[in-house]
Amino acid sequence: MSKLSASAAPVQAEVVAYAAHQQQIHRIRDRVFIQEQAVPADLERDDRDALCLHVLAYADGQAVATGRIDLQRAGKIGRVAVLADARTLGVGRVVMEALHRCAADAGLAQVRLSAQQSAVPFYHKLGYTAVGEPFVEAGIVHLAMARAIGTG
């Protein structure tokens, strides 16, 4: 993928059907989690994908970010991934806002996630607070976080 332009068309996100978009979703997640972060493929892939709502975000007409929310597991957000070339475009915020709307539409009062330590400041800016102590998952330090829905 070529370097994306911050002056291009605005980033757009949409809720997508997993079955129809799994190739795009996994292309992004594989690049970020498996290639960049060395997460084993058997840990990155799980049986929840088909049960979750998924968001894809687009910049310059290309799918550059994804995330999911598991409504059956009390609004657990996960697998939020943004391709390296798109990380300065506000794409992560757009993905999270779309996931928050999914939670609100489902009537949830809050959402939760396991943030990689390096992403904790990003989630703090979105209104998340820490819940508990750091833990290691897939060889990466994480922090459980939660956020009320309907607070911005």
Side-chain angles (χ1 to χ4, degrees):
M1 180 173 73
S2 61
K3 186 72 175 166
L4 297 167
S5 168
S7 64
V11 173
Q12 298 178 338
E14 64 180 1
V15 178
V16 298
Y18 176 71
H21 292 87
Q22 64 183 322
Q23 185 174 2
Q24 290 175 298
I25 290 166
H26 287 294
R27 179 184 57 81
I28 295 166
R29 285 173 28 185
D30 288 356
R31 185 164 320 156
V32 172
F33 298 125
I34 297 170
Q35 295 174 17
E36 290 180 22
Q37 299 177 358
V39 172
D42 62 326
L43 294 180
E44 197 289 314
R45 305 267 175 125
D46 65 17
D47 62 351
R48 301 303 301 171
D49 274 326
L51 304 172
C52 292
L53 293 178
H54 292 263
V55 168
L56 276 173
Y58 300 87
D60 289 350
Q62 301 173 62
V64 296
T66 189
R68 73 182 191 186
I69 184 167
D70 194 333
L71 298 174
Q72 296 175 2
R73 292 201 172 157
K76 181 164 187 344
I77 291 175
R79 304 303 197 273
V80 177
V82 179
L83 294 178
D85 286 347
R87 290 186 187 144
T88 61
L89 304 178
V91 179
R93 174 179 287 279
V94 171
V95 168
M96 293 303 295
E97 289 169 351
L99 292 168
H100 294 159
R101 282 191 301 276
C102 290
D105 290 348
L108 297 180
Q110 77 168 13
V111 290
R112 60 192 179 88
L113 52 79
S114 297
Q116 291 184 7
Q117 189 68 45
S118 62
V120 166
F122 167 75
Y123 291 113
H124 275 303
K125 289 178 188 174
L126 295 175
Y128 284 81
T129 57
V131 181
E133 298 297 318
F135 60 95
V136 176
E137 185 175 44
I140 300 169
V141 177
H142 285 73
L143 184 63
M145 303 185 84
R147 176 193 188 272
I149 292 302
T151 60

